[in-house]
């Protein structure tokens, strides 16, 4: 019998013994019928109490990986693992295939991988997150009484909104002048689920959905999975071009505060025009305000949601940028004619979000930690953004190659390539090879003629990395010959 | 100016001051332009340090609820709240309505409400949950390095499966002889999202989906929202009646371990027949194993997933019963021909689950806490179940009125009303009025002729409550006149 158990540190010793014995069984080092050491002997050899070992054996007995034979000792159960161990276990692949909609799955764009300098878009700096405070609030929520209250609480039944939904209404009202009470808020697993629920309750197969072009491709892709006809509408310096909206559009998806990816803020005139268009065409506007809590200019323009007099706007927000993406909390704020269906769509598909995270976030908002965190983080991002803009703009910097698109908020800045013959994908690839991750603009287009540029996120790069990264990028741009790879 | 601040205990005093000032502004007790006390004065009157007060003011300044005027002090900002405070703020209701699919939203069935004795089905006893261990694992996951690793980790890119997915494969392999590696597992927000993702990738509008009748109505409802034609197939003492399956069914949803709600285990012959049927009809079987970890008889029959030789079974599981529903973790184990589409469907709709909960659960499984917890909980539930069965079966008990449907696993027991003239909904209503919550069987039917019975969950009722609850129920049954409310 090949069994080697070793204990490290003074952590949970029972857990260590359990894990090592289980691994020995599962990878075939211990076979069915093998006798395991008497708990007293193993305890002696490991210098732990016998109870520590029997507790581990009990867990393995509960899983029927071990079995006791009266008077003979403890053995590895027969037939609990296939011959050869678990390594070769794979679910059978079969003749069953997804519907045509899923037949082609886009390859994910290359990520920052091992890049030295990371200008990823849409990623906050998780080192800024107030982990100690969050841990305290999570522990508080995990106190028995408070968690029980959230157990299988039917989100559809609670039409007045949960405690978190009330806090979000207050937060969105104060910070973004969104007009809402808790009853108007539907919490979701990030902004993405908010868009999914909206599509579920509003889009019939074949309906036209208009999106910004260039735009947030994940949203366009999502609408397509709901069998919508997705149309890309051009974006200029004032935001989406309302005159170019297709008459058939039932739903218009926009990012007015900080257009994704160009960074443009939709002008007030354009906001009014878009609302009027929606009234004339009986369409719904989805306003995705994904990262405007980080703002670097004066108080921003009012969101479409608060300019709306007709109940046509669904406002979507997220805590993925101001907290952490991994916590998956977002929300939709919708007209009362839609919230029951949105709650029902959430109920049938995922029931609700994580009760612990929701409880902790409600406290985080109500105790002012969120406000304090956004203030601190904005300061850090502002410094990075200023350094980035200065380096991009200056003639010693990259101003010769790049023209920055003005923006007033958010975690990234976009710049257009001045030379119309330069290919942004090729440049991004060369930059990545040289250790700098930037995102090309052209891949964010749907049907409009692609503009070429680069987007620079400031969440993943420290202040001190910006200068060196742009020096590398400058080298890449200097050496890149004009002309697309396909010969020009 | 009407401002009263009071501090309770020695908790986070800054948070308390912040919350009370914010409430005063939001509900209109403080109006724009009102001067708030100098931080020094407020600190003195509350007997706290001045820093405690200025920290609270800083959060309110960050939110622009307060503003400082040079040399004059700190004031409530103008225009930050509408006249009358936030109470009247509601999102505008508009002309926008959901699609026809959502026009009628079923009223939720009555819940246990204020019942003295709660036989709710599908709810675990959260007092059994090892909260202290879980809190420790959550805190460990919240350590900076480990959380960062889960931040926006693209679930679609990680085709080998996450750490949690590997642990789930091991768990399902050991406890349920499911054949899978981590690459075959897709974590979801509860079993419900697993069903949603399966429907997304397999169901075209108009496709026929077969479900058990009576069955898990939430699943049937979900498939209907994907525009499937949902057909109810009868269930007998061996499980779903395979011969009654509609030829057109593309997908068959079953609960073989513990049929929901009758409790029947699907016989081995029926399992084989169902798999053969699926091969002949090129259909997919969805096997929902929602609560079989609590088993009260010998080792159960092999799941369809491990009997399947053709790759036609998607196995769905959940930790809502063995942990807590509020944590929202479930999973699908699918043939390799489907997992890329399932991961992509998850990516476009919710991205991924809560990274903290996922990390803690991976540890919970790998350290053996889950096995230990299920063992402990099974003991508790077994005692409740035995008491319930004894009371239901005995002639002094309810055997005169109810005939228990045999089952070997799970958190509830179902019993048929012997008198064909009794109406289970009426009895459940009368029982609730008398303080006992039980679920009627007839409402779980779709198109088959409804059988009348009652389902008794053992997760929400303590052992000592079972006797008194059944005594009450006996009184209700004794006094209920045969004959349905519509006149019999």
């Amino acid at each position: 019998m090949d069994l080697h158990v070793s204990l490290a540190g003074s952590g949970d010793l029972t857990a260590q013994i359990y894990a090592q014995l289980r691994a020995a069984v599962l990878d075939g080092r211990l076979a069915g019928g093998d006798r395991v050491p008497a708990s007293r002997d193993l305890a002696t050899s490991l210098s732990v109490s016998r109870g520590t070992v029997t507790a581990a054996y009990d867990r393995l007995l509960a899983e029927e990986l071990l079995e006791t034979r009266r008077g003979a000792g403890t053995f590895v159960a027969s037939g609990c693992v296939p011959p050869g161990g678990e390594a070769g276990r794979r679910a059978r692949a079969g003749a069953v295939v997804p519907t045509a909609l899923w037949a082609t799955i886009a390859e994910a764009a290359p990520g920052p991988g091992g890049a030295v300098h990371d200008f990823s878009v849409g990623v906050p700096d998780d080192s800024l997150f107030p982990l100690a405070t969050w841990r305290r609030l999570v522990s508080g929520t995990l106190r028995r009484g408070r968690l029980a209250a959230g157990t299988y609480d039917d989100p559809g039944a609670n039409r007045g909104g949960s405690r978190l939904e009330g806090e979000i209404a207050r937060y969105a009202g104060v910070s973004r002048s969104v007009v809402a009470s808790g009853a108007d808020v539907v919490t979701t697993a990030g902004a993405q689920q908010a868009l999914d629920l909206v599509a579920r309750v509003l889009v019939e197969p074949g309906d036209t959905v208009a999106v910004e072009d260039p735009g947030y491709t994940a949203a366009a892709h999502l609408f397509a999975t709901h069998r919508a006809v997705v149309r890309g509408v051009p974006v200029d310096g004032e935001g989406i071009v309302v005159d170019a909206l297709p008459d058939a559009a039932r739903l218009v998806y926009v990012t007015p505060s900080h257009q994704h990816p160009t960074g443009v803020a939709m002008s007030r005139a354009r906001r009014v025009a878009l609302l009027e268009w929606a009234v004339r065409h009986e369409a719904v506007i989805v306003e995705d305000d994904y990262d405007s809590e980080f703002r670097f200019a004066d108080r921003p323009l009012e969101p479409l949601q608060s300019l709306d007099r007709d109940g046509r706007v669904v406002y979507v927000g997220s805590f993925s940028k101001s907290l952490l993406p991994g916590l998956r909390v977002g929300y939709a704020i919708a007209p009362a004619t839609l919230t029951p269906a949105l709650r029902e769509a959430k109920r049938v598909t995922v029931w609700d979000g994580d009760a612990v995270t929701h409880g902790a976030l409600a406290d985080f908002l109500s105790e002012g930690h969120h406000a304090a965190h956004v203030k601190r983080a904005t300061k850090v991002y502002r410094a990075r953004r200023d350094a980035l803009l200065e380096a991009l703009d200056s003639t010693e910097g990259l101003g010769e190659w790049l023209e920055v698109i003005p923006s007033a908020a958010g975690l990234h800045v976009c710049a257009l390539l001045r030379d119309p013959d330069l290919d942004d994908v090729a440049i991004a690839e060369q930059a990545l090879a040289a250790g700098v991750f930037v995102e090309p603009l052209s891949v964010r287009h749907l049907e409009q003629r692609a503009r070429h540029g680069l987007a620079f996120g400031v969440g993943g790069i420290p202040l001190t990395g910006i200068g060196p990264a742009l020096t590398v990028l400058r080298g890449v741009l200097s050496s890149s010959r004009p002309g697309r790879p396909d010969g020009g």
Side-chain angles (χ1 to χ4, degrees), chain A:
Chain A
M1 185 197 70
D2 173 20
L3 174 65
H4 176 79
V5 177
S6 62
L7 300 181
S10 58
D12 185 336
L13 300 175
T14 292
Q16 291 185 43
I17 295 169
Y18 163 86
Q20 291 181 48
L21 277 167
R22 189 180 62 148
V25 174
L26 292 182
D27 65 18
R29 280 178 287 140
L30 288 176
D34 281 353
R35 191 175 184 283
V36 298
S39 55
R40 189 186 310 271
D41 296 345
L42 186 57
T44 305
S45 74
L46 293 171
S47 304
V48 299
S49 79
R50 191 176 166 201
T52 300
V53 175
T54 54
Y57 281 15
D58 279 349
R59 293 179 194 178
L60 295 158
L61 288 162
E63 288 193 303
E64 300 180 10
L65 282 176
L66 297 184
E67 60 189 20
T68 52
R69 297 184 198 155
R70 194 176 299 267
T74 306
F75 296 81
V76 176
S78 303
C80 61
V81 192
E86 64 167 347
R89 293 171 74 92
R90 281 297 307 265
R92 277 170 206 282
V96 176
V97 292
T99 57
L101 198 61
W102 303 94
T104 55
I105 293 172
E107 281 298 304
V116 184
H117 303 292
D118 180 3
F119 284 115
S120 284
V121 168
V123 179
D125 184 342
D126 55 30
S127 75
L128 302 177
F129 182 66
L131 258 188
T133 300
W134 186 257
R135 210 156 44 210
R136 179 170 62 74
L137 299 177
V138 165
S139 282
T141 304
L142 276 171
R143 269 185 284 119
R144 200 166 297 273
R146 298 197 48 192
L147 188 59
T151 302
Y152 263 151
D153 189 15
D154 185 338
N158 192 2
R159 295 285 157 81
S162 67
R163 189 167 73 91
L164 176 57
E165 286 163 347
E167 286 296 337
I168 289 172
R170 225 159 282 144
Y171 163 68
V174 167
S175 73
R176 298 291 289 119
S177 45
V178 167
V179 181
S181 80
D184 306 316
V185 179
V186 180
T187 54
T188 57
Q192 196 72 14
Q193 193 192 21
L195 300 182
D196 185 49
L197 297 180
V198 167
R200 272 177 190 268
V201 306
L202 285 172
V203 174
E204 301 268 11
D207 276 356
T208 298
V209 171
V211 300
E212 297 164 330
D213 189 352
Y216 182 50
T217 39
H221 183 34
L222 171 67
F223 294 125
T225 71
H226 286 278
R227 301 167 198 273
V229 176
V230 180
R231 296 287 311 279
V233 177
V235 174
D236 65 17
E238 292 191 70
I240 196 166
V241 177
V242 172
D243 290 343
L245 282 167
D247 283 340
R250 283 276 306 137
L251 194 150
V252 183
Y253 169 81
V254 287
T255 52
S257 297
H258 185 230
Q259 201 270 329
H260 196 293
T262 65
V264 166
M266 192 183 293
S267 69
R268 195 184 162 86
R270 200 61 71 77
R271 287 174 198 236
V272 171
L274 178 58
L275 286 164
E276 286 171 358
W277 187 94
V279 172
R280 277 201 311 280
H281 292 79
E282 301 198 349
V284 180
I285 300 170
V286 178
E287 173 175 34
D288 187 348
D289 208 7
Y290 63 101
D291 73 353
S292 75
E293 55 269 50
F294 305 109
R295 56 174 200 264
F296 310 105
D298 289 340
R299 196 151 178 95
L301 291 168
E302 273 184 282
L304 292 163
Q305 198 270 355
S306 54
L307 294 171
D308 174 28
R309 295 284 166 268
D310 200 44
R312 301 209 158 263
V313 174
V314 180
Y315 177 92
V316 169
S318 164
F319 292 95
S320 294
K321 308 295 182 285
S322 64
L323 292 172
L324 290 175
L327 297 177
R328 311 304 305 132
V329 188
Y331 51 93
I333 296 179
T337 39
L338 290 181
T339 41
L342 291 171
R343 285 188 203 286
E344 176 71 0
K346 179 168 75 163
R347 199 179 68 81
V348 300
T349 53
V350 301
W351 203 272
D352 203 353
D354 187 297
V356 179
T357 298
H358 281 199
L361 180 54
D363 292 340
F364 194 76
L365 287 164
S366 76
E367 295 183 5
H369 304 296
H370 189 268
H373 167 60
V374 167
K375 187 184 176 187
R376 269 193 309 270
T378 300
K379 212 165 157 181
V380 172
Y381 294 138
R382 181 193 294 275
R384 294 182 190 173
R385 189 172 181 277
D386 288 349
L388 177 67
L389 290 174
E390 191 178 315
L392 287 177
D393 249 4
S394 65
T395 43
E396 319 87 74
L398 292 161
E400 186 183 335
W401 289 278
L402 290 165
E403 180 191 352
V404 172
I405 301 176
S407 64
L411 288 183
H412 74 269
V413 166
C414 192
L416 297 172
L417 284 164
R418 289 185 191 276
D419 183 339
D421 288 330
L422 284 180
D423 178 74
D424 55 5
V425 172
I427 287 166
E429 279 169 8
Q430 291 160 32
L432 187 56
V436 176
F437 180 77
V438 285
E439 298 193 14
L441 174 62
S442 62
V443 298
R444 299 292 186 172
H445 287 76
L446 201 64
E447 56 184 288
Q448 302 297 322
R449 202 173 72 84
R451 282 177 287 175
H452 286 250
L454 299 171
F456 299 84
V458 296
I461 191 162
L463 185 58
T464 52
I466 291 170
L470 293 185
T471 303
V472 172
L473 185 62
R474 190 182 178 177
V476 168
L477 286 164
S478 305
S479 66
S480 66
R481 292 174 203 292
R484 306 286 162 78
D486 51 347

